[in-house]
Every structure is written in C-alpha cells, then in structure tokens.
Amino acid sequence: MPVSTWAVAEPQKLTFDEPVTTLQVRVVNGTVNVVGSEETAARLEISALEGPPLVVTQQDGTLTVAYEDLHWKSLHKWLEDKGWRRRAVVSVVVPADCAVEVGAVGAEAVVSGIRGRTDVRGVSGDTSVSGLTGKVTAETVSGNLEAQDVTGDLRFQSVSGDLTVVDGAGTSVRAESVSGGMILDLDPSGRPTDIRLTTVSGEIAIRLPHPADATVEANTASGTLSSAFEDLRVSGQWGAKKITGTLGAGTGTLRAMTASGSIALLRRPQAEEEPHDAEPTGKVL
C-alpha cells in the first residue's frame, strides 16, 4: 500500500478512511489523548502546535503522528541533545481493537477504551489509562501512571514515578521502581491474580478484596509493615520484616518487596460492611 503523508505545521483535523490497526504517537510537551471507538474510520485533531511540524503518515494499517527526529528507541535520551521549544496537543479516535504506542517527552498521555495492546513510554509526563482490556506496558523516568478499570495485564517500570491502580480488575500486575510509590486497589472478581511489586525506597499499599485468594509474601528491610488480614503473619522485630501466609485457597500470588519503604495490605469492605472496616486492623511492625 502506498504511503500517505501530511506535514502539519498548524492546528488541523484529519479523517482516515483506510483501516487503522496500529497507532503510533511521539510528541514533546503538551498532551496526547487517544480514545477507542466502534467506528471504522480514525480521526485526528491537532489543536495546538509549537515548534517544527508534526509528520502524519499512514501505511499498511499503521497511523503515525510524530516529530521527524523523535524516535521510539531513543526517547529517553532525546532531551540530552534537543533543547528548542516544542508543544503539541494531539487527540486521536481509533477503532477500539487498535494497538496503541505513545511516546511522550514531557507530555501528558490519556488512553481510554482500547481493546488492543497499549505501550506508553515517557520521560516526565504523567499517563492515565482507563477502560483498557488489552495488555498495558508503561515505562517512565519520573512520570506517574494511573490505571483505572484496566482488565488486561499491566506492566510498569519507572525510576521515580508513582503507580496508582483504581478498580483493578486485571489478573496480572508487575511493577518496578526505584523511589516511586505504588497504590493498588484490586477487584479481580474472584479470578486468581499474579501481583509482583518491587521498589527500593517507595511505599506500597495494596487493597485486596475480601475474601481474598492469594499466597502472600511481602518484605521490607527497614520500613514498616501492616496487614488487615488475620490469616497473614507479620514477623521480624529488628531489620528485615515480612508478611507471609495464605488467603483463601492461595490460588493467586502476591509478592511485594521494598528496601526502606513501608508496605500496607488493606482489605476491601464487603457489601454489608462500612467503609472504615477496610482499614488495617492487624499487627503493625
């Protein structure tokens, strides 16, 4: 299929009648909004633009909106060599089954309603994803990730960015950070989960459904531990401390590790319970 190309130097709207199966967006500063739709045509609106033109290309089902000199693999190193001012506000509506790749240097990214794979790579801008059913992978330097109502597998890696999961219905979450914190509110609807969290100095808080079903192991070298589950054992008086035990049948897995941060395991209230029952009631070390 021949390549269709547009050089966009000012605010503009474009509609693409050819099928779009993959979306790639790479911008510096500003905002990227991606929305999944049941429509077959894709729509693009660039509502603000500063600096050089954005190049829009469409070929073989791939729609790309990017600066010509900004590449996916060198995204994290880009600011070391480029210093001029750029900003773009990009909104794209694509078929919900589309695969999405967003590269954002200092830009905020919002992705919603996508059933395909979603990959986000950022430097300092925050990312928000909601209503995604495909696998989600996010890598940031200092940007935060907020995931709401995500049912696909979630992977997060950052230096200092925080991870927040709200109404997490997915069965697999794996996150690594150096100093970023992690807050997870999980409700996998009775399905076994595989949760693995690692941070050096960040704090970890996980709210599990009640009753929960997981084999639990949480460790901290010098932080504090708290658990709202009587079936779990909190041990260690000096130095390293850990929470271990089995909730329910132990079908799922929960692993959380931090060197100096604290770890709290909270309990989601049952329907007949008051919200305050979700607070930790077990031992604290």
Side-chain angles (χ1 to χ4, degrees):
M1 181 181 297
V3 181
S4 299
T5 304
W6 299 262
V8 180
E10 59 186 12
Q12 187 173 346
K13 296 180 180 180
L14 295 172
T15 300
F16 307 90
D17 295 326
E18 295 293 333
V20 174
T21 57
T22 301
L23 172 68
Q24 300 175 341
V25 182
R26 297 187 299 275
V27 299
V28 178
N29 300 323
T31 305
V32 177
N33 297 297
V34 179
V35 179
S37 169
E38 298 306 321
E39 300 177 8
T40 56
R43 303 193 308 274
L44 166 66
E45 179 178 1
I46 300 174
S47 55
L49 185 62
E50 298 178 29
L54 281 171
V55 178
V56 180
T57 61
Q58 185 179 26
Q59 184 182 27
D60 298 331
T62 298
L63 176 63
T64 302
V65 184
Y67 289 112
E68 196 170 21
D69 57 354
L70 182 61
H71 305 288
W72 181 259
K73 291 184 178 180
S74 60
L75 202 70
H76 290 169
K77 299 179 179 179
W78 193 87
L79 285 181
E80 298 175 2
D81 304 316
K82 314 291 184 180
W84 53 80
R85 180 174 178 81
R86 300 187 183 192
R87 179 177 178 271
V89 177
V90 177
S91 299
V92 193
V93 177
V94 293
D97 291 328
C98 193
V100 174
E101 297 178 3
V102 176
V105 179
E108 295 184 357
V110 180
V111 183
S112 61
I114 295 294
R115 293 192 290 263
R117 185 191 76 252
T118 298
D119 294 320
V120 180
R121 184 173 295 181
V123 178
S124 58
D126 294 340
T127 298
S128 176
V129 297
S130 63
L132 307 188
T133 59
K135 181 178 179 179
V136 179
T137 302
E139 299 179 17
T140 75
V141 177
S142 59
N144 303 320
L145 172 65
E146 179 175 330
Q148 183 171 3
D149 191 24
V150 171
T151 59
D153 294 350
L154 177 62
R155 303 289 181 266
F156 177 67
Q157 187 172 9
S158 180
V159 177
S160 59
D162 296 334
L163 170 64
T164 302
V165 177
V166 181
D167 292 331
T171 59
S172 179
V173 178
R174 300 196 178 194
E176 297 180 4
S177 180
V178 177
S179 60
M182 302 177 185
I183 301 175
L184 280 68
D185 180 20
L186 304 176
D187 186 15
S189 302
R191 297 174 298 168
T193 57
D194 182 12
I195 312 298
R196 300 175 188 268
L197 311 176
T198 303
T199 179
V200 177
S201 59
E203 298 185 349
I204 297 175
I206 308 169
R207 192 164 80 150
L208 299 171
H210 180 69
D213 182 8
T215 300
V216 178
E217 181 178 343
N219 300 273
T220 181
S222 60
T224 60
L225 295 179
S226 61
S227 172
F229 295 90
E230 296 180 355
D231 293 337
L232 299 180
R233 179 171 178 263
V234 182
S235 60
Q237 295 294 333
W238 306 101
K241 308 176 186 68
K242 61 182 178 179
I243 301 175
T244 55
T246 301
L247 298 174
T251 307
T253 301
L254 170 59
R255 299 285 185 269
M257 298 181 63
T258 177
S260 58
S262 63
I263 300 177
L265 300 184
L266 310 176
R267 183 165 59 94
R268 261 179 169 258
Q270 291 179 313
E272 67 273 13
E273 292 181 334
E274 295 297 326
H276 68 263
D277 287 335
E279 297 301 317
T281 56
K283 295 174 61 180
V284 177
L285 291 181

